[in-house]
């Protein structure tokens, strides 16, 4: 090929790519601006990219995936499923987005409960007045060889904060936690003014996009929102054991 012609072709490809990228960036900014205008500051947009379905754009907002058109005139909330594979692409994308680095969790700010040899590890963001959290704690009673790091996240009421402080500041926080969650034994009221990690836990929960309790995290960073069943938890732990 003639070197001059080859150089010309290269320039055309480069310019075409640049124009495509610029058009894409402009479209993203237009979509973002319109969504912000419609929803205001309560929507926190992290990214915008082409969706698996042609003509739609994936918008990651408030740790969830939604879809819109190029003009942001329509909003689609729901799942895109690949019929060939049966994969729920939206669910898979949200799981990827919500994955954390387990080793980065400040476990010193949690109440540690060990059952059996404690070889299988979980982290739970929990509120002492959350009924689902109490049900989850009862589920853990029937599980063996687990270590559970309970991050107190008082979001339901002022009493949740008071109870969390009393539990954390008790002489034996783990025993006090279990007595309350399993047997409804109120924590002692003394020493409830000790240094506690509650504000840090709440800030961490916000950073991780945790909007409710309980929220369960596994060592691979996978999360399950809500009080999962024993079978669901054991299934995930078994999968992790096979990979290790």
């Amino acid at each position: 090929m003639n070197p001059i012609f080859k150089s010309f072709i290269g320039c055309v490809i480069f310019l075409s790519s640049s124009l495509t990228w610029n058009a894409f960036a402009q479209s993203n900014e237009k979509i973002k601006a319109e969504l912000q205008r419609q929803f205001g500051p309560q929507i926190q947009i992290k990214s915008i990219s082409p969706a698996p379905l042609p003509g739609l754009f994936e918008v990651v907002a408030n740790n969830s995936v939604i879809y819109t058109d190029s003009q942001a005139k329509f909003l689609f909330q729901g799942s895109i499923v690949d019929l060939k594979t049966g994969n729920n692409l939206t669910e898979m994308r949200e799981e990827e987005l919500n994955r954390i680095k387990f080793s980065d969790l400040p476990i010193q700010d949690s109440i540690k409960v060990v059952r059996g040899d404690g070889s299988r590890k979980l982290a739970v963001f929990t509120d002492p007045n959350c009924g689902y959290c109490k049900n989850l704690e009862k589920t853990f009673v029937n599980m063996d060889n687990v270590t559970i790091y309970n991050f107190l996240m008082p979001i339901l009421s002022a009493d949740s904060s008071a109870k969390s402080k009393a539990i954390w500041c008790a002489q034996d926080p783990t025993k006090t936690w279990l007595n309350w969650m399993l047997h409804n034994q109120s924590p002692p009221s003394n020493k409830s003014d000790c240094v506690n990690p509650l504000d840090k836990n709440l800030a961490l929960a916000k950073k991780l996009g945790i909007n409710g309790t309980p929220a369960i995290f596994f060592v691979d960073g996978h999360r399950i929102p809500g009080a999962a069943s024993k079978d669901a938890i054991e299934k995930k732990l078994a999968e992790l054991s096979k990979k290790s």
Side-chain angles (χ1 to χ4, degrees):
M1 181 183 290
N2 185 297
I4 297 177
F5 182 68
K6 186 177 181 180
S7 177
F8 172 74
I9 292 295
C11 289
V12 169
I13 292 173
F14 173 77
L15 288 172
S16 176
S17 299
S18 298
L19 290 172
T20 301
W21 173 252
N22 288 336
F24 175 68
Q26 290 173 7
S27 178
N28 278 8
E29 288 303 316
K30 185 176 181 179
I31 291 171
K32 183 176 182 179
E34 181 59 22
L35 290 176
Q36 293 286 184
R37 187 185 71 81
Q38 292 280 355
F39 295 99
Q42 66 265 31
I43 187 171
Q44 298 176 7
I45 299 173
K46 291 187 176 180
S47 68
I48 300 172
S49 58
L53 191 64
L56 290 183
F57 285 79
E58 173 196 282
V59 180
V60 177
N62 300 347
N63 287 79
S64 296
V65 172
I66 57 176
Y67 303 100
T68 188
D69 61 292
S70 61
Q71 304 297 315
K73 290 183 177 180
F74 300 96
L75 189 68
F76 302 87
Q77 291 181 295
S79 297
I80 294 178
V81 177
D82 185 331
L83 294 180
K84 185 176 181 179
T85 63
N87 291 331
N88 186 323
L89 302 182
T90 306
E91 190 176 88
M92 291 171 65
R93 179 71 172 127
E94 288 188 335
E95 181 178 327
E96 176 189 343
L97 290 167
N98 290 317
R99 195 176 293 273
I100 69 165
K101 189 174 182 181
F102 192 90
S103 59
D104 284 348
L105 290 175
I107 58 174
Q108 71 276 5
D109 293 335
S110 68
I111 293 177
K112 181 180 177 181
V113 177
V114 180
R115 300 190 182 281
D117 63 19
S119 56
R120 305 183 298 170
K121 293 177 171 55
L122 299 166
V124 181
F125 283 75
T126 181
D127 185 302
N129 286 331
C130 162
Y132 294 108
C133 300
K134 290 185 176 183
N135 289 337
L136 181 61
E137 199 63 58
K138 291 173 183 175
T139 295
F140 290 144
V141 170
N142 298 312
M143 295 178 63
D144 201 10
N145 300 329
V146 291
T147 296
I148 302 123
Y149 300 103
N150 294 285
F151 288 85
L152 301 182
M153 178 185 163
I155 58 173
L156 293 179
S157 65
D159 183 67
S160 291
S161 182
K163 276 195 173 69
S164 294
K165 289 177 182 178
I167 291 168
W168 182 266
C169 296
Q171 186 173 358
D172 188 336
T174 298
K175 182 179 179 180
T176 306
W177 168 253
L178 293 176
N179 281 341
W180 167 249
M181 297 299 281
L182 298 175
H183 310 296
N184 210 35
Q185 294 181 15
S186 296
S189 57
N190 58 323
K191 293 185 179 180
S192 61
D193 59 344
C194 73
V195 176
N196 64 74
L198 300 185
D199 287 340
K200 289 193 290 183
N201 288 354
L202 289 169
L204 177 61
K206 183 177 181 181
K207 178 182 176 181
L208 298 177
I210 303 171
N211 300 313
T213 55
I216 308 169
F217 290 90
F218 297 86
V219 293
D220 66 345
H222 174 77
R223 80 172 70 189
I224 297 180
S229 67
K230 179 185 175 183
D231 288 345
I233 297 172
E234 288 285 10
K235 180 181 178 182
K236 180 61 182 178
L237 290 172
E239 290 175 1
L240 292 172
S241 296
K242 290 179 182 178
K243 293 178 181 179
S244 61

